[in-house]
Amino acid sequence: MSIRGFAVGVAAACLLPIAANAEGGVQMQRDITWKLGLEIAEGAIEACSQRNVAISVAVVDRAGRMRIFISSDNPTPHSIELARRKAYTARTFGRSTLEWRDATEPGKDVFGQRQLAEVIPLGGGYPIKVGNETIGGVGVSGNKPGWRRGLCQGRRREGGRPAQIGGD
């Protein structure tokens, strides 16, 4: 390849981002930062430790990918997988896993959603939202019945905007 051909190729490559942005080819999205995910997970563990409840917490991003996973001392072995699936379910459907469970009961039009891989109709999953936009999900799984009530309710500010974490 000649020097001139190489220079033209480099110039064209440098202009591609400009052309792609001008045509709407670049997408900007809000997403969970590792700091926000860690803050949410640590808050859940702290709240449960005050109630002497061992838990696992998973935080997923807008694509359902695991961003943070952490367990308190002595969690049950199955809580790891359940927390991840609850976070994924809440992110996928943009509502708490209990709301989704009730909306997808047998006989309802959307019952088939339960056939999707990785979703689970158990309480403990909550969407993480900025305004009406779901940017992630948090799932908590522990070892005592009824411990979840109100655990993940609250608001967290991220970038000057409220990130709501719904609760059951």
Side-chain angles (χ1 to χ4, degrees):
M1 175 180 271
S2 71
I3 297 284
R4 183 172 186 220
F6 178 75
V8 169
V10 168
C14 289
L15 292 175
L16 278 177
I18 295 169
N21 194 21
E23 296 177 22
V26 175
Q27 184 174 336
M28 303 295 282
Q29 297 179 337
R30 293 182 179 111
D31 210 340
I32 294 290
T33 63
W34 69 268
K35 285 184 179 182
L36 176 58
L38 185 59
E39 185 176 324
I40 291 167
E42 287 177 334
I45 286 179
E46 181 61 32
C48 286
S49 70
Q50 293 174 3
R51 298 175 185 162
N52 200 28
V53 177
I55 64 167
S56 293
V57 183
V59 178
V60 298
D61 64 14
R62 72 179 305 116
R65 295 177 299 240
M66 182 85 74
R67 292 290 288 164
I68 299 292
F69 174 79
I70 190 168
S71 289
S72 63
D73 294 334
N74 303 313
T76 55
H78 64 277
S79 69
I80 295 168
E81 180 65 12
L82 291 178
R84 183 189 67 76
R85 290 179 65 187
K86 290 173 182 184
Y88 178 82
T89 302
R91 163 52 197 117
T92 298
F93 298 105
R95 58 170 77 175
S96 78
T97 50
L98 284 180
E99 288 177 296
W100 178 76
R101 178 199 66 193
D102 294 345
T104 60
E105 290 176 338
K108 299 218 174 163
D109 289 342
V110 292
F111 174 70
Q113 289 178 348
R114 289 191 180 197
Q115 302 305 310
L116 294 171
E118 305 301 320
V119 299
I120 192 161
L122 297 175
Y126 307 91
I128 301 170
K129 297 184 176 226
V130 174
N132 291 327
E133 181 181 7
T134 303
I135 63 167
V138 57
V140 291
S141 183
N143 61 1
K144 291 186 181 176
W147 61 270
R148 245 183 266 99
R149 188 149 316 278
L151 176 66
C152 290
Q153 292 178 352
R155 293 177 182 264
R156 159 69 167 85
R157 296 199 58 88
E158 174 71 7
R161 301 189 131 190
Q164 297 115 23
I165 304 163
D168 294 318

